[in-house]
Structures are given as C-alpha cells and as structure tokens.
Amino acid sequence: IALQNEIKVRKKVERALERQAEELARSNAELEQFFYVASHHLQEPIRSVISYSQLFKHKYESRLGDEADMYLTYINDGALRIHDLVNDVRAFSQINRHGKPFTRVNCSELMDTVIALVRNIYKENTLLVTYESLPIVLADKKQLTQVFTHLIDNAIKYCDASVPEIHVSARIHGDDHLFMVRDNGIGIEPQ
C-alpha cells in the first residue's frame, strides 16, 4: 500500500512538472515573440532620432558653441547605442527561432572569418586581433559567428586605447570548451 501511494505521488509530481515545463516553454515562446515585435517596432523611431540628430549636428555644429556641440554628440551617441541594444535584443529573440542543427565547426577558421568581417567594419581603425589554436565544436555556425563578432565588436567599441588589442583562446573545461576573450578595453567590474 505504501508503495502504491508513493507511485501515485510520484506520478502526480511528474504530471505537475510536465505541465510546468509546457507552461515555461509557452511563456518563453511568448517572450521571444514580444522581444522580436518590440524591437521591430522600435527600429523606425530610432532611425528617425539618429537621422535627425545627425542632420541637426551637421547643420548646426560649431554654430551654437562647444557645449551645444557636446550635447549633440551625446544625443547622437546615445541614439546609436539604443539602436545597437535594440538590434541585440532582436538577435537574441531569434536565437531559438532560427537556430540550425549543430554541425562540426572549426573555430580557428571561424575566427578568420570573424576577423575579416570586423576589419571590414572598422576599415579606418588599426586592430590587433589574435587567437590561439581553437577547437572544433558542435554548434550552429551562424550563431557562433554572431557571438564572436559581437564580443570583438564590443571590445573595439569600449576600448580607450589607440589600438584595440583582442585575444581569443579556449581550453577544455570538463566536457565543455571554455572560450575567453581578453582585450585592452575599459574592463568590466569583477562582480
């Protein structure tokens, strides 16, 4: 009788866990959809703010004084940061939706591609991007390319040195690979 009661309790708990998992999956799907729609609808107003702030700055720079020029720069930089954040939210919302089955990805070859992409974006800047021999991993190549591109792009954006220096390495950590990106940027608080 005690065993039958324990089986009943376990089955009840399992059904509750299954319902909870279904609810969580539904909730995650709704959140992904919300992020995608919200970021999509924010694109146009942000583009307008960027365009008009750049036009205003171009037309009135040096006419209103140094303080006004500084404010115009802050407005433009802020709008560009918002644009980047919205794009990041949009990309994040599409991860599960557009993920492909994992294949073997040679991360050293992938880094060559990423470095070429980043150099193309920052043509006027001198960059020093290096990496150690990186492993072959099972991954969605497109998503992994986006991850490394964003990491290197952020290292460049938040670097106050004249030449951004970025180094990518990896080591085995248990059954996984631990990737590290080191740069000479402003840093992140340890906590």
Short mmCIF file of all heavy atoms in Angstrom, two decimals, residues 109-168:
data_model
loop_
_atom_site.label_atom_id
_atom_site.label_comp_id
_atom_site.label_asym_id
_atom_site.label_seq_id
_atom_site.Cartn_x
_atom_site.Cartn_y
_atom_site.Cartn_z
N GLU A 109 39.02 28.51 -38.09
CA GLU A 109 38.56 29.02 -39.40
C GLU A 109 37.46 30.06 -39.21
O GLU A 109 37.43 31.08 -39.91
CB GLU A 109 38.04 27.86 -40.25
CG GLU A 109 39.13 26.91 -40.71
CD GLU A 109 38.57 25.71 -41.46
OE1 GLU A 109 37.34 25.64 -41.70
OE2 GLU A 109 39.39 24.82 -41.80
N LEU A 110 36.58 29.81 -38.25
CA LEU A 110 35.50 30.76 -37.96
C LEU A 110 36.08 32.11 -37.52
O LEU A 110 35.61 33.16 -37.94
CB LEU A 110 34.59 30.18 -36.89
CG LEU A 110 33.39 31.03 -36.53
CD1 LEU A 110 32.12 30.21 -36.66
CD2 LEU A 110 33.51 31.55 -35.13
N MET A 111 37.14 32.08 -36.68
CA MET A 111 37.76 33.33 -36.23
C MET A 111 38.37 34.10 -37.39
O MET A 111 38.33 35.33 -37.41
CB MET A 111 38.82 33.06 -35.15
CG MET A 111 38.25 32.89 -33.76
SD MET A 111 37.21 34.26 -33.20
CE MET A 111 38.38 35.59 -33.25
N ASP A 112 38.94 33.39 -38.38
CA ASP A 112 39.47 34.08 -39.57
C ASP A 112 38.35 34.85 -40.26
O ASP A 112 38.53 36.00 -40.68
CB ASP A 112 40.10 33.08 -40.55
CG ASP A 112 41.41 32.50 -40.03
OD1 ASP A 112 42.09 33.16 -39.21
OD2 ASP A 112 41.76 31.38 -40.46
N THR A 113 37.19 34.23 -40.37
CA THR A 113 36.03 34.88 -40.99
C THR A 113 35.58 36.09 -40.17
O THR A 113 35.32 37.16 -40.71
CB THR A 113 34.86 33.88 -41.11
OG1 THR A 113 35.29 32.76 -41.89
CG2 THR A 113 33.64 34.52 -41.75
N VAL A 114 35.50 35.90 -38.85
CA VAL A 114 35.07 36.99 -37.96
C VAL A 114 36.04 38.16 -38.03
O VAL A 114 35.62 39.32 -38.11
CB VAL A 114 34.91 36.48 -36.51
CG1 VAL A 114 34.74 37.62 -35.54
CG2 VAL A 114 33.74 35.51 -36.42
N ILE A 115 37.33 37.87 -38.01
CA ILE A 115 38.33 38.95 -38.08
C ILE A 115 38.19 39.72 -39.39
O ILE A 115 38.24 40.96 -39.41
CB ILE A 115 39.75 38.38 -37.90
CG1 ILE A 115 39.94 37.90 -36.46
CG2 ILE A 115 40.81 39.42 -38.26
CD1 ILE A 115 41.20 37.07 -36.23
N ALA A 116 37.96 39.01 -40.49
CA ALA A 116 37.77 39.68 -41.78
C ALA A 116 36.51 40.56 -41.75
O ALA A 116 36.53 41.70 -42.24
CB ALA A 116 37.66 38.65 -42.90
N LEU A 117 35.42 40.06 -41.14
CA LEU A 117 34.19 40.85 -41.03
C LEU A 117 34.42 42.13 -40.22
O LEU A 117 34.01 43.22 -40.61
CB LEU A 117 33.08 40.04 -40.36
CG LEU A 117 32.42 38.93 -41.16
CD1 LEU A 117 31.55 38.08 -40.24
CD2 LEU A 117 31.60 39.51 -42.28
N VAL A 118 35.09 41.98 -39.08
CA VAL A 118 35.32 43.12 -38.20
C VAL A 118 36.26 44.13 -38.85
O VAL A 118 36.04 45.34 -38.77
CB VAL A 118 35.87 42.63 -36.83
CG1 VAL A 118 36.30 43.79 -35.98
CG2 VAL A 118 34.80 41.82 -36.11
N ARG A 119 37.29 43.65 -39.53
CA ARG A 119 38.21 44.57 -40.22
C ARG A 119 37.47 45.34 -41.31
O ARG A 119 37.77 46.50 -41.56
CB ARG A 119 39.39 43.81 -40.82
CG ARG A 119 40.38 43.35 -39.78
CD ARG A 119 41.69 42.92 -40.45
NE ARG A 119 42.57 42.27 -39.51
CZ ARG A 119 43.26 42.88 -38.57
NH1 ARG A 119 43.17 44.18 -38.45
NH2 ARG A 119 44.05 42.20 -37.77
N ASN A 120 36.50 44.70 -41.93
CA ASN A 120 35.71 45.38 -42.97
C ASN A 120 34.85 46.49 -42.37
O ASN A 120 34.65 47.52 -42.99
CB ASN A 120 34.85 44.35 -43.71
CG ASN A 120 34.27 44.90 -44.98
OD1 ASN A 120 34.90 45.68 -45.67
ND2 ASN A 120 33.06 44.48 -45.29
N ILE A 121 34.35 46.26 -41.16
CA ILE A 121 33.52 47.27 -40.49
C ILE A 121 34.37 48.44 -40.03
O ILE A 121 33.99 49.61 -40.19
CB ILE A 121 32.79 46.64 -39.28
CG1 ILE A 121 31.77 45.61 -39.76
CG2 ILE A 121 32.10 47.72 -38.44
CD1 ILE A 121 31.20 44.74 -38.64
N TYR A 122 35.53 48.16 -39.46
CA TYR A 122 36.41 49.19 -38.89
C TYR A 122 37.61 49.43 -39.80
O TYR A 122 38.75 49.34 -39.38
CB TYR A 122 36.88 48.78 -37.49
CG TYR A 122 35.76 48.69 -36.49
CD1 TYR A 122 35.15 47.49 -36.19
CD2 TYR A 122 35.31 49.84 -35.84
CE1 TYR A 122 34.12 47.41 -35.28
CE2 TYR A 122 34.27 49.77 -34.93
CZ TYR A 122 33.69 48.55 -34.65
OH TYR A 122 32.66 48.48 -33.75
N LYS A 123 37.35 49.77 -41.05
CA LYS A 123 38.41 49.94 -42.03
C LYS A 123 39.44 50.98 -41.61
O LYS A 123 40.63 50.83 -41.80
CB LYS A 123 37.82 50.33 -43.38
CG LYS A 123 37.06 49.23 -44.04
CD LYS A 123 36.44 49.68 -45.33
CE LYS A 123 35.56 48.58 -45.88
NZ LYS A 123 34.83 48.97 -47.05
N GLU A 124 38.97 52.07 -41.01
CA GLU A 124 39.88 53.17 -40.69
C GLU A 124 40.68 52.93 -39.42
O GLU A 124 41.67 53.58 -39.18
CB GLU A 124 39.10 54.49 -40.56
CG GLU A 124 38.19 54.59 -39.35
CD GLU A 124 36.87 53.85 -39.46
OE1 GLU A 124 36.57 53.32 -40.54
OE2 GLU A 124 36.13 53.81 -38.47
N ASN A 125 40.27 51.99 -38.61
CA ASN A 125 40.95 51.73 -37.34
C ASN A 125 42.00 50.63 -37.48
O ASN A 125 41.83 49.70 -38.24
CB ASN A 125 39.95 51.30 -36.26
CG ASN A 125 39.04 52.43 -35.86
OD1 ASN A 125 39.21 53.56 -36.28
ND2 ASN A 125 38.07 52.13 -35.04
N THR A 126 43.06 50.78 -36.72
CA THR A 126 44.06 49.72 -36.62
C THR A 126 43.61 48.78 -35.51
O THR A 126 43.28 49.21 -34.42
CB THR A 126 45.43 50.33 -36.27
OG1 THR A 126 45.76 51.31 -37.24
CG2 THR A 126 46.49 49.26 -36.26
N LEU A 127 43.58 47.50 -35.82
CA LEU A 127 43.15 46.49 -34.85
C LEU A 127 44.20 45.41 -34.73
O LEU A 127 44.87 45.07 -35.70
CB LEU A 127 41.85 45.81 -35.31
CG LEU A 127 40.67 46.67 -35.68
CD1 LEU A 127 39.59 45.80 -36.32
CD2 LEU A 127 40.12 47.34 -34.45
N LEU A 128 44.33 44.86 -33.55
CA LEU A 128 45.19 43.70 -33.36
C LEU A 128 44.32 42.61 -32.75
O LEU A 128 44.00 42.64 -31.56
CB LEU A 128 46.37 44.03 -32.44
CG LEU A 128 47.32 42.87 -32.17
CD1 LEU A 128 47.92 42.34 -33.46
CD2 LEU A 128 48.41 43.30 -31.22
N VAL A 129 43.86 41.69 -33.60
CA VAL A 129 43.02 40.58 -33.15
C VAL A 129 43.81 39.29 -33.37
O VAL A 129 44.19 38.97 -34.50
CB VAL A 129 41.69 40.51 -33.93
CG1 VAL A 129 40.81 39.39 -33.40
CG2 VAL A 129 40.95 41.84 -33.87
N THR A 130 44.07 38.58 -32.28
CA THR A 130 44.82 37.33 -32.36
C THR A 130 44.02 36.22 -31.68
O THR A 130 43.09 36.48 -30.92
CB THR A 130 46.19 37.46 -31.66
OG1 THR A 130 45.97 37.83 -30.29
CG2 THR A 130 47.05 38.51 -32.35
N TYR A 131 44.40 34.99 -31.98
CA TYR A 131 43.77 33.86 -31.31
C TYR A 131 44.74 32.68 -31.30
O TYR A 131 45.62 32.58 -32.15
CB TYR A 131 42.45 33.46 -31.98
CG TYR A 131 42.58 33.00 -33.41
CD1 TYR A 131 42.78 31.65 -33.71
CD2 TYR A 131 42.49 33.90 -34.47
CE1 TYR A 131 42.89 31.22 -35.01
CE2 TYR A 131 42.61 33.48 -35.77
CZ TYR A 131 42.80 32.14 -36.04
OH TYR A 131 42.92 31.70 -37.34
N GLU A 132 44.55 31.85 -30.30
CA GLU A 132 45.31 30.60 -30.22
C GLU A 132 44.59 29.57 -31.07
O GLU A 132 43.47 29.81 -31.52
CB GLU A 132 45.38 30.14 -28.77
CG GLU A 132 46.14 31.10 -27.88
CD GLU A 132 46.06 30.73 -26.40
OE1 GLU A 132 45.64 29.61 -26.07
OE2 GLU A 132 46.41 31.61 -25.60
N SER A 133 45.19 28.44 -31.27
CA SER A 133 44.53 27.36 -31.99
C SER A 133 43.24 27.03 -31.25
O SER A 133 43.25 26.72 -30.06
CB SER A 133 45.44 26.13 -32.04
OG SER A 133 44.78 25.09 -32.72
N LEU A 134 42.12 27.15 -31.94
CA LEU A 134 40.83 26.96 -31.31
C LEU A 134 40.26 25.60 -31.69
O LEU A 134 40.56 25.06 -32.75
CB LEU A 134 39.88 28.09 -31.72
CG LEU A 134 40.31 29.49 -31.30
CD1 LEU A 134 39.38 30.55 -31.89
CD2 LEU A 134 40.38 29.62 -29.79
N PRO A 135 39.38 25.04 -30.85
CA PRO A 135 38.88 23.68 -31.07
C PRO A 135 37.82 23.60 -32.16
O PRO A 135 37.30 24.61 -32.64
CB PRO A 135 38.26 23.32 -29.71
CG PRO A 135 37.82 24.63 -29.16
CD PRO A 135 38.86 25.63 -29.61
N ILE A 136 37.51 22.39 -32.51
CA ILE A 136 36.35 22.09 -33.35
C ILE A 136 35.23 21.72 -32.39
O ILE A 136 35.41 20.88 -31.51
CB ILE A 136 36.65 20.93 -34.32
CG1 ILE A 136 37.74 21.37 -35.32
CG2 ILE A 136 35.38 20.48 -35.03
CD1 ILE A 136 38.24 20.27 -36.21
N VAL A 137 34.09 22.40 -32.52
CA VAL A 137 32.97 22.17 -31.60
C VAL A 137 31.70 21.90 -32.39
O VAL A 137 31.61 22.22 -33.58
CB VAL A 137 32.74 23.40 -30.67
CG1 VAL A 137 33.96 23.65 -29.80
CG2 VAL A 137 32.39 24.64 -31.47
N LEU A 138 30.71 21.33 -31.72
CA LEU A 138 29.39 21.16 -32.31
C LEU A 138 28.60 22.42 -32.01
O LEU A 138 28.42 22.79 -30.85
CB LEU A 138 28.67 19.95 -31.71
CG LEU A 138 29.20 18.58 -32.14
CD1 LEU A 138 28.47 17.48 -31.40
CD2 LEU A 138 29.06 18.40 -33.64
N ALA A 139 28.15 23.11 -33.07
CA ALA A 139 27.46 24.39 -32.87
C ALA A 139 26.69 24.77 -34.12
O ALA A 139 26.85 24.16 -35.18
CB ALA A 139 28.47 25.48 -32.53
N ASP A 140 25.87 25.80 -34.00
CA ASP A 140 25.24 26.46 -35.14
C ASP A 140 26.26 27.50 -35.60
O ASP A 140 26.53 28.48 -34.89
CB ASP A 140 23.94 27.12 -34.70
CG ASP A 140 23.24 27.88 -35.82
OD1 ASP A 140 23.92 28.36 -36.76
OD2 ASP A 140 22.01 28.03 -35.76
N LYS A 141 26.87 27.29 -36.75
CA LYS A 141 27.98 28.14 -37.21
C LYS A 141 27.58 29.61 -37.30
O LYS A 141 28.34 30.49 -36.91
CB LYS A 141 28.48 27.64 -38.57
CG LYS A 141 29.73 28.36 -39.03
CD LYS A 141 30.27 27.74 -40.31
CE LYS A 141 31.55 28.43 -40.71
NZ LYS A 141 32.12 27.79 -41.90
N LYS A 142 26.38 29.87 -37.79
CA LYS A 142 25.93 31.27 -37.93
C LYS A 142 25.83 31.94 -36.56
O LYS A 142 26.29 33.06 -36.37
CB LYS A 142 24.59 31.32 -38.65
CG LYS A 142 24.07 32.73 -38.86
CD LYS A 142 22.75 32.75 -39.61
CE LYS A 142 22.25 34.16 -39.75
NZ LYS A 142 20.93 34.22 -40.34
N GLN A 143 25.24 31.26 -35.61
CA GLN A 143 25.08 31.84 -34.28
C GLN A 143 26.43 32.02 -33.59
O GLN A 143 26.67 33.04 -32.93
CB GLN A 143 24.15 30.99 -33.41
CG GLN A 143 22.71 31.07 -33.86
CD GLN A 143 21.78 30.25 -32.98
OE1 GLN A 143 22.22 29.56 -32.07
NE2 GLN A 143 20.49 30.32 -33.25
N LEU A 144 27.33 31.05 -33.75
CA LEU A 144 28.65 31.17 -33.14
C LEU A 144 29.42 32.33 -33.77
O LEU A 144 30.12 33.07 -33.08
CB LEU A 144 29.41 29.85 -33.28
CG LEU A 144 30.64 29.68 -32.40
CD1 LEU A 144 30.31 29.89 -30.93
CD2 LEU A 144 31.24 28.30 -32.60
N THR A 145 29.26 32.52 -35.07
CA THR A 145 29.88 33.67 -35.74
C THR A 145 29.35 34.97 -35.16
O THR A 145 30.13 35.90 -34.89
CB THR A 145 29.61 33.62 -37.27
OG1 THR A 145 30.13 32.40 -37.80
CG2 THR A 145 30.22 34.80 -37.99
N GLN A 146 28.04 35.04 -34.92
CA GLN A 146 27.45 36.24 -34.33
C GLN A 146 28.00 36.50 -32.93
O GLN A 146 28.29 37.63 -32.57
CB GLN A 146 25.93 36.12 -34.28
CG GLN A 146 25.26 36.26 -35.62
CD GLN A 146 23.75 36.07 -35.52
OE1 GLN A 146 23.26 35.28 -34.72
NE2 GLN A 146 23.03 36.80 -36.35
N VAL A 147 28.14 35.45 -32.13
CA VAL A 147 28.66 35.60 -30.77
C VAL A 147 30.06 36.21 -30.80
O VAL A 147 30.34 37.21 -30.13
CB VAL A 147 28.66 34.26 -30.01
CG1 VAL A 147 29.49 34.35 -28.73
CG2 VAL A 147 27.25 33.82 -29.69
N PHE A 148 30.95 35.60 -31.60
CA PHE A 148 32.33 36.11 -31.65
C PHE A 148 32.39 37.50 -32.26
O PHE A 148 33.17 38.35 -31.82
CB PHE A 148 33.24 35.14 -32.41
CG PHE A 148 33.67 33.96 -31.60
CD1 PHE A 148 33.30 32.68 -31.96
CD2 PHE A 148 34.45 34.13 -30.46
CE1 PHE A 148 33.69 31.59 -31.21
CE2 PHE A 148 34.84 33.04 -29.70
CZ PHE A 148 34.46 31.77 -30.07
N THR A 149 31.56 37.76 -33.26
CA THR A 149 31.54 39.10 -33.87
C THR A 149 31.11 40.14 -32.85
O THR A 149 31.72 41.21 -32.74
CB THR A 149 30.61 39.12 -35.10
OG1 THR A 149 31.05 38.14 -36.04
CG2 THR A 149 30.60 40.50 -35.77
N HIS A 150 30.07 39.85 -32.08
CA HIS A 150 29.60 40.79 -31.05
C HIS A 150 30.65 41.00 -29.96
O HIS A 150 30.87 42.13 -29.52
CB HIS A 150 28.29 40.31 -30.41
CG HIS A 150 27.09 40.49 -31.28
ND1 HIS A 150 26.68 41.72 -31.74
CD2 HIS A 150 26.20 39.60 -31.76
CE1 HIS A 150 25.59 41.57 -32.48
NE2 HIS A 150 25.28 40.30 -32.51
N LEU A 151 31.30 39.93 -29.53
CA LEU A 151 32.32 40.06 -28.50
C LEU A 151 33.48 40.94 -28.97
O LEU A 151 33.93 41.84 -28.25
CB LEU A 151 32.84 38.69 -28.08
CG LEU A 151 31.88 37.83 -27.25
CD1 LEU A 151 32.42 36.41 -27.11
CD2 LEU A 151 31.66 38.45 -25.88
N ILE A 152 33.94 40.72 -30.18
CA ILE A 152 35.05 41.52 -30.70
C ILE A 152 34.60 42.94 -30.98
O ILE A 152 35.32 43.91 -30.68
CB ILE A 152 35.66 40.84 -31.94
CG1 ILE A 152 36.35 39.55 -31.51
CG2 ILE A 152 36.65 41.76 -32.65
CD1 ILE A 152 36.87 38.68 -32.62
N ASP A 153 33.40 43.10 -31.51
CA ASP A 153 32.87 44.44 -31.77
C ASP A 153 32.77 45.24 -30.46
O ASP A 153 33.15 46.41 -30.41
CB ASP A 153 31.50 44.32 -32.43
CG ASP A 153 30.92 45.67 -32.82
OD1 ASP A 153 31.60 46.43 -33.51
OD2 ASP A 153 29.77 45.95 -32.43
N ASN A 154 32.27 44.61 -29.40
CA ASN A 154 32.18 45.30 -28.10
C ASN A 154 33.57 45.64 -27.56
O ASN A 154 33.77 46.70 -26.97
CB ASN A 154 31.43 44.45 -27.09
CG ASN A 154 29.93 44.51 -27.30
OD1 ASN A 154 29.43 45.41 -27.95
ND2 ASN A 154 29.23 43.54 -26.76
N ALA A 155 34.53 44.74 -27.75
CA ALA A 155 35.89 45.01 -27.28
C ALA A 155 36.46 46.24 -27.99
O ALA A 155 37.18 47.04 -27.39
CB ALA A 155 36.79 43.80 -27.53
N ILE A 156 36.11 46.42 -29.26
CA ILE A 156 36.58 47.58 -30.02
C ILE A 156 35.84 48.84 -29.58
O ILE A 156 36.45 49.89 -29.33
CB ILE A 156 36.40 47.34 -31.53
CG1 ILE A 156 37.32 46.20 -31.99
CG2 ILE A 156 36.68 48.62 -32.32
CD1 ILE A 156 36.99 45.66 -33.36
N LYS A 157 34.51 48.75 -29.46
CA LYS A 157 33.70 49.92 -29.09
C LYS A 157 34.08 50.48 -27.74
O LYS A 157 34.06 51.68 -27.53
CB LYS A 157 32.21 49.54 -29.05
CG LYS A 157 31.54 49.45 -30.37
CD LYS A 157 30.08 49.09 -30.15
CE LYS A 157 29.39 48.78 -31.45
NZ LYS A 157 28.03 48.28 -31.23
N TYR A 158 34.40 49.61 -26.80
CA TYR A 158 34.66 50.05 -25.44
C TYR A 158 36.15 50.04 -25.10
O TYR A 158 36.54 49.80 -23.98
CB TYR A 158 33.86 49.19 -24.45
CG TYR A 158 32.38 49.32 -24.69
CD1 TYR A 158 31.66 48.31 -25.29
CD2 TYR A 158 31.73 50.50 -24.37
CE1 TYR A 158 30.30 48.45 -25.53
CE2 TYR A 158 30.37 50.65 -24.61
CZ TYR A 158 29.67 49.61 -25.19
OH TYR A 158 28.33 49.77 -25.44
N CYS A 159 36.95 50.34 -26.10
CA CYS A 159 38.39 50.42 -25.91
C CYS A 159 38.81 51.88 -25.95
O CYS A 159 38.47 52.61 -26.88
CB CYS A 159 39.12 49.64 -27.01
SG CYS A 159 40.90 49.65 -26.81
N ASP A 160 39.53 52.30 -24.92
CA ASP A 160 40.01 53.68 -24.91
C ASP A 160 41.46 53.79 -25.35
O ASP A 160 42.03 54.87 -25.37
CB ASP A 160 39.79 54.33 -23.54
CG ASP A 160 40.35 53.49 -22.40
OD1 ASP A 160 41.00 52.47 -22.68
OD2 ASP A 160 40.12 53.87 -21.24
N ALA A 161 42.08 52.67 -25.72
CA ALA A 161 43.45 52.67 -26.23
C ALA A 161 43.44 53.05 -27.71
O ALA A 161 42.42 52.89 -28.39
CB ALA A 161 44.10 51.31 -26.02
N SER A 162 44.55 53.53 -28.21
CA SER A 162 44.61 53.93 -29.63
C SER A 162 44.51 52.73 -30.56
O SER A 162 43.99 52.84 -31.66
CB SER A 162 45.88 54.73 -29.92
OG SER A 162 47.02 53.93 -29.61
N VAL A 163 45.02 51.58 -30.12
CA VAL A 163 44.93 50.36 -30.92
C VAL A 163 44.25 49.27 -30.08
O VAL A 163 44.83 48.78 -29.11
CB VAL A 163 46.33 49.87 -31.36
CG1 VAL A 163 46.22 48.55 -32.12
CG2 VAL A 163 47.03 50.91 -32.20
N PRO A 164 43.03 48.90 -30.43
CA PRO A 164 42.37 47.81 -29.71
C PRO A 164 43.14 46.50 -29.91
O PRO A 164 43.48 46.13 -31.03
CB PRO A 164 40.99 47.73 -30.35
CG PRO A 164 40.78 49.03 -31.02
CD PRO A 164 42.14 49.50 -31.43
N GLU A 165 43.41 45.82 -28.80
CA GLU A 165 44.09 44.53 -28.84
C GLU A 165 43.15 43.48 -28.24
O GLU A 165 42.75 43.59 -27.09
CB GLU A 165 45.39 44.57 -28.05
CG GLU A 165 46.41 45.53 -28.63
CD GLU A 165 47.67 45.63 -27.79
OE1 GLU A 165 47.86 44.78 -26.89
OE2 GLU A 165 48.46 46.56 -28.03
N ILE A 166 42.82 42.48 -29.05
CA ILE A 166 41.86 41.46 -28.63
C ILE A 166 42.50 40.09 -28.86
O ILE A 166 43.09 39.84 -29.91
CB ILE A 166 40.55 41.57 -29.43
CG1 ILE A 166 39.94 42.95 -29.22
CG2 ILE A 166 39.56 40.49 -29.04
CD1 ILE A 166 39.51 43.62 -30.46
N HIS A 167 42.38 39.23 -27.86
CA HIS A 167 42.93 37.87 -27.98
C HIS A 167 41.86 36.86 -27.56
O HIS A 167 41.23 37.00 -26.51
CB HIS A 167 44.18 37.72 -27.10
CG HIS A 167 44.80 36.38 -27.22
ND1 HIS A 167 45.51 35.99 -28.33
CD2 HIS A 167 44.78 35.31 -26.39
CE1 HIS A 167 45.93 34.74 -28.16
NE2 HIS A 167 45.49 34.30 -26.99
N VAL A 168 41.66 35.85 -28.40
CA VAL A 168 40.68 34.80 -28.13
C VAL A 168 41.42 33.49 -27.90
O VAL A 168 42.34 33.14 -28.65
CB VAL A 168 39.69 34.65 -29.31
CG1 VAL A 168 38.68 33.55 -29.04
CG2 VAL A 168 38.99 35.97 -29.60
#
